[in-house]
Amino acid sequence: MGNTKKQITEQEVASLFILYLTKEAQDAWPSIKKSLEDTFKERFIVTEEDMVASYDLALAVIAQDLQALKNLFPKDQAERIEKWVLKSLADTEDWGEYAVHEVEKYSNAFQKSLNNIEQYGNPINTIPVLLLYRWLGKNIDSIEVKLNGKKTGYFDPIIIEMVTHTLVMQFAGTWKRVIVTDDVELVEGDIPFDEDLSGLNNYVTESEENKPDGTIRYYDEDGNLKEKWLPPEQIKELLKKGGAKRVYRVLIKGPWDGIKETWWELSDDVIKKFVDEKDYAYATANYEKGELKYYFVSKRLWEKQEQMEEIFMDQNLSPEQQQEAVKKLINDPKQKSLFEEN
């Protein structure tokens, strides 16, 4: 029998991991808060709003479960997943920088405690203690043990044990229990963690004013768009002597926001098929096994790329129906060469 496992990429699993634990923390926070308030009364007074406190809980359990990665997956895969988790957190609107800082703080403290158990004690208590600092803020002194009215420097072991038990029993084991189960195969995705977009720049719309013949535009070594003028006769002479090569502006849509542009030499065949009256060519880009692949497309198809993607994602359409829908979309049923790989 063939492999029937559902494949999921490391990037996708990182996002699922964050979404799952964030929701679990939000749902669990009211009962956790009530239990601690009922047990410790005025000694447990949270200084933050519930939304913030529940998010702090989520970040703590995310950091806690990240510690298990190295025991569950091969070293290189575990490192990639952790990077994707931190990258996904960094992309969180408004909270990105805070989220990454908190998770890294929890993780570093846990590893430091793990490597120095004689000095710091049981590492499993490290994250709960830091979480209590977040929850209680200036009220943290209320849970410190005092002898004869003097501070001891130690927190009440009962509250530490209670928070630790909650984090471990309610949230630990997410990877194997919920995310990467027996019917799931975890694979490395096409999109690389470190994107290399060298040679591509953000598309800069040309001014509507007419430029004199001989005006050329180029990017300097820092990626800044520059403009200079050469006598048209000089440009023709350079081209004739081989001292300069004709390049075309290529506008590219890909797995990024907005439009990128670059300048490429093009073959006569590509020029004939895909260069428009403004001497622009159009392309799409996709990651395949971590490498960007470029495909020239007609301008009409390029302008309707988003609608085209919707067609190919429609599972109710057969391949033949999808092709017909694309032809109808661009209103050019005679065009056969829609794509050409660069």
Side-chain angles (χ1 to χ4, degrees), residues 22-71:
T22 300
K23 185 178 186 306
E24 288 292 296
Q26 290 174 340
D27 292 344
W29 169 241
S31 62
I32 292 173
K33 180 183 179 183
K34 185 176 187 306
S35 179
L36 290 167
E37 288 177 337
D38 290 346
T39 303
F40 298 97
K41 309 301 180 185
E42 69 280 355
R43 297 177 64 200
F44 187 83
I45 301 176
V46 179
T47 58
E48 299 287 356
E49 297 178 359
D50 282 343
M51 181 186 69
V52 178
S54 67
Y55 192 57
D56 281 324
L57 172 61
L59 296 176
V61 295
I62 285 171
Q64 172 183 265
D65 260 24
L66 281 179
Q67 310 313 310
L69 283 176
K70 59 181 69 68
N71 299 321

Side-chain angles (χ1 to χ4, degrees), residues 98-301:
Y98 175 80
V100 172
H101 175 269
E102 290 297 289
V103 170
E104 288 183 334
K105 178 186 71 176
Y106 289 130
S107 296
N108 292 337
F110 180 88
Q111 288 301 317
K112 184 177 181 180
S113 178
L114 184 64
N115 296 332
N116 299 274
I117 294 178
E118 296 81 2
Q119 180 180 353
Y120 296 105
N122 190 347
I124 201 172
N125 294 328
T126 304
I127 293 176
V129 168
L130 292 177
L131 179 58
L132 281 167
Y133 271 102
R134 269 285 171 239
W135 279 344
L136 300 181
K138 64 180 184 297
N139 299 326
I140 194 70
D141 288 347
S142 64
I143 63 170
E144 186 175 351
V145 175
K146 298 180 178 65
L147 291 177
N148 299 321
K150 296 183 178 180
K151 295 181 178 181
T152 63
Y154 295 96
F155 289 154
D156 186 334
I158 297 177
I159 193 171
I160 300 299
E161 180 180 354
M162 192 169 175
V163 176
T164 299
H165 182 269
T166 298
L167 264 61
V168 172
M169 296 305 295
Q170 289 192 225
F171 302 101
T174 300
W175 289 110
K176 287 295 185 182
R177 180 167 47 85
V178 179
I179 307 296
V180 187
T181 55
D182 291 339
D183 60 344
V184 169
E185 179 183 4
L186 187 58
V187 298
E188 188 173 358
D190 281 334
I191 300 177
F193 178 78
D194 297 313
E195 293 181 301
D196 182 11
L197 301 181
S198 56
L200 300 182
N201 298 277
N202 291 328
Y203 170 50
V204 178
T205 306
E206 286 192 87
S207 171
E208 292 301 323
E209 61 181 306
N210 293 324
K211 302 288 184 182
D213 290 344
T215 301
I216 62 172
R217 308 178 84 196
Y218 65 96
Y219 289 94
D220 64 16
E221 60 184 10
D222 297 319
N224 300 312
L225 185 64
K226 299 290 185 179
E227 190 174 276
K228 67 186 298 184
W229 182 85
L230 291 176
E233 295 77 13
Q234 183 179 347
I235 295 177
K236 291 178 181 178
E237 192 65 26
L238 286 170
L239 288 169
K240 186 184 302 182
K241 292 180 178 180
K245 295 181 180 179
R246 178 68 187 271
V247 293
Y248 291 84
R249 193 181 200 181
V250 183
L251 305 187
I252 307 170
K253 291 182 179 180
W256 48 69
D257 292 331
I259 299 169
K260 300 290 185 183
E261 68 175 4
T262 190
W263 297 81
W264 286 340
E265 290 182 65
L266 303 178
S267 68
D268 291 340
D269 188 48
V270 168
I271 294 171
K272 181 179 179 181
K273 290 180 181 177
F274 300 107
V275 173
D276 68 5
E277 68 282 353
K278 295 176 64 177
D279 284 340
Y280 287 8
Y282 302 84
T284 61
N286 295 292
Y287 281 107
E288 296 178 14
K289 298 187 182 302
E291 182 181 355
L292 268 179
K293 295 287 188 179
Y294 299 94
Y295 298 89
F296 288 108
V297 298
S298 66
K299 179 180 180 181
R300 186 176 298 177
L301 186 60

